[in-house]
Amino acid sequence: MRVDVALIQDLVPSPLPAGTHAVVLDVVRATTTTVAALHAGCDGVQPVGDEGRARELAVERGALLAGERGGLPPAGFDLGNSPAGFRREDCAGRPVVLTTTNGTRAVERCAGAAGIWAAGFVNAEASARALVAAGAERVLLVCAGSGGEVAADDVALAGCLAGSLALMAGALPDDGARTAAALFDAWKHDLHGLLVRSLSGRKLAAVGLEADLLDCARVDALPRAVRLDGAGVFRLAGDGAPA
Amino acid sequence: MRVDVALIQDLVPSPLPAGTHAVVLDVVRATTTTVAALHAGCDGVQPVGDEGRARELAVERGALLAGERGGLPPAGFDLGNSPAGFRREDCAGRPVVLTTTNGTRAVERCAGAAGIWAAGFVNAEASARALVAAGAERVLLVCAGSGGEVAADDVALAGCLAGSLALMAGALPDDGARTAAALFDAWKHDLHGLLVRSLSGRKLAAVGLEADLLDCARVDALPRAVRLDGAGVFRLAGDGAPA
């Protein structure tokens, strides 16, 4: 297996090399929230970049409308972009349309990939296992970033995944993966501390949502991988205990 | 002081924020070689992206023509891009025109900066000291990268410089600087080992020039900072022992 890291989504090559499995990483918060919503029993999470289009789709499909602009849910949304906002009692069985600033754009940038996955620290090991089980020979870890800047939360997760894939599949690190691995290694015993200090974390604290960072730092708490299906909807995939 | 890191030159903002001092980092090898040539007594090093223009300028100015394409000196060049190629007995007092693949392009990308500096591990501390002495309030560390890919050698030097500037001037790290600092910290006791494993290092080994990596990893061996003058020529600057 070959593993490359795009330290920010702007560095994703276009077109992607043939056969690439792209893993979108937006730890704070879009991909963590996607994983959390699916583990709470939602019937798929559809990432949509444009807010107006997200509103239309939610009506068409009877879906929960979730997401953020500037960190907060726009008027009329059912839910924001907080992982803990998706409670089983409220949303089991409901489809979700999710629109966010960085993560959904990163998903759009990976169009044409052999597989598109969403990962957080919450399902890191499950994601690595599922990539191996899917026979992925070429993996691109895509750090969403924050407003065009490198985001340490995403880079650290890329390092975590690159390390797991090296152990599981003998993946050799490129220079980006080596850089990411060093960041993860430096902070792996205090990922919450890294998130608090990160650009994404500071933006979240500025709108009063720093409690979300605890949920984003819970390594392997939600043990299923998440993959985009043919209809552009993220669904649980791969091995692991049923959600 | 505020310090930002562009983990690869493609991430340099255009235009640069007003007052930015840009420090170009191409450890393997253009900026290391620039520093080495000046410490060997060359009368300025002019970075030129275009090979044909470099040939013309060298004739016009009676300069040594140095550089590489694919790691090796093109036909008719006086010197390659090896730091050790610049020997005092051959080049003291001679102007140099240097054309390389990544580093000279990174310099061109920093046009409009309040100051443009060239740094390697060889003059890391001197560079940090000179930035403080120059009163730089905003510093952008520009990792040249290698053929459009992130280069670990450059990122590690960015981490080294960010750490020095934090100590000297209380610079707070952005997420890119924190990432770079983790890579430097992981490898600071074996920088040569990092260079050997890096993309740049492997490319160099493929053309038989791996011995250059030892010269690129000699931290603070050449104790003067290097800055571009108004005529687009790199010259020794700042504090330190005379070369």
Side-chain angles (χ1 to χ4, degrees), chain A residues 150-152 175 178-179 183 198-199, chain B residues 150 152 175 179 183 197-199:
Chain A
V150 169
D175 286 26
R178 203 182 291 284
T179 298
L183 184 67
S198 72
L199 175 62
Chain B
V150 169
D175 285 26
T179 298
L183 184 67
R197 288 165 176 80
S198 72
L199 176 62

Side-chain angles (χ1 to χ4, degrees), chain B residues 47-57 65 69 77 97-100 104-105 108:
Chain B
V48 178
D50 182 72
E51 184 186 326
R53 182 73 188 126
R55 289 180 187 273
E56 291 169 8
L57 272 173
L65 178 61
R69 287 297 179 275
F77 272 45
V97 170
L98 180 70
T99 181
T100 69
T104 46
R105 265 181 225 163
E108 289 169 352

Side-chain angles (χ1 to χ4, degrees), chain B residues 147-237:
Chain B
E149 306 278 332
V150 169
D153 49 317
D154 303 337
V155 175
L157 175 56
C160 172
L161 290 171
S164 293
L165 292 170
L167 283 171
M168 291 178 191
L172 285 171
D174 72 344
D175 285 26
R178 203 181 292 280
T179 298
L183 184 67
F184 176 67
D185 206 53
W187 288 91
K188 65 188 173 191
H189 299 301
D190 185 16
L191 289 172
H192 179 250
L194 176 64
L195 268 46
V196 166
R197 288 165 176 80
S198 72
L199 176 62
S200 317
R202 286 179 281 123
K203 284 182 180 173
L204 209 55
V207 295
L209 293 174
E210 61 268 39
D212 282 4
L213 298 178
L214 285 166
D215 295 314
C216 296
R218 294 193 303 143
V219 179
D220 294 332
L222 303 173
R224 296 284 296 277
V226 166
R227 185 171 180 173
L228 206 68
D229 70 11
V233 175
F234 279 119
R235 298 194 178 276
L236 294 177

Side-chain angles (χ1 to χ4, degrees), chain A residues 78-146:
Chain A
D78 299 305
L79 287 162
N81 188 29
S82 293
F86 291 80
R87 286 176 299 196
R88 180 171 290 275
E89 58 269 32
D90 300 330
C91 60
R94 297 286 305 277
V96 175
V97 170
L98 180 70
T99 181
T100 69
T101 317
N102 301 297
T104 46
R105 264 181 226 161
V107 172
E108 290 169 351
R109 216 182 271 263
C110 296
I116 300 181
W117 306 73
F121 281 113
V122 290
N123 71 340
E125 178 151 330
S127 299
R129 283 185 189 280
L131 286 161
V132 173
E137 294 191 350
R138 182 158 195 156
V139 172
L140 179 64
L141 304 174
V142 178
C143 301
S146 179

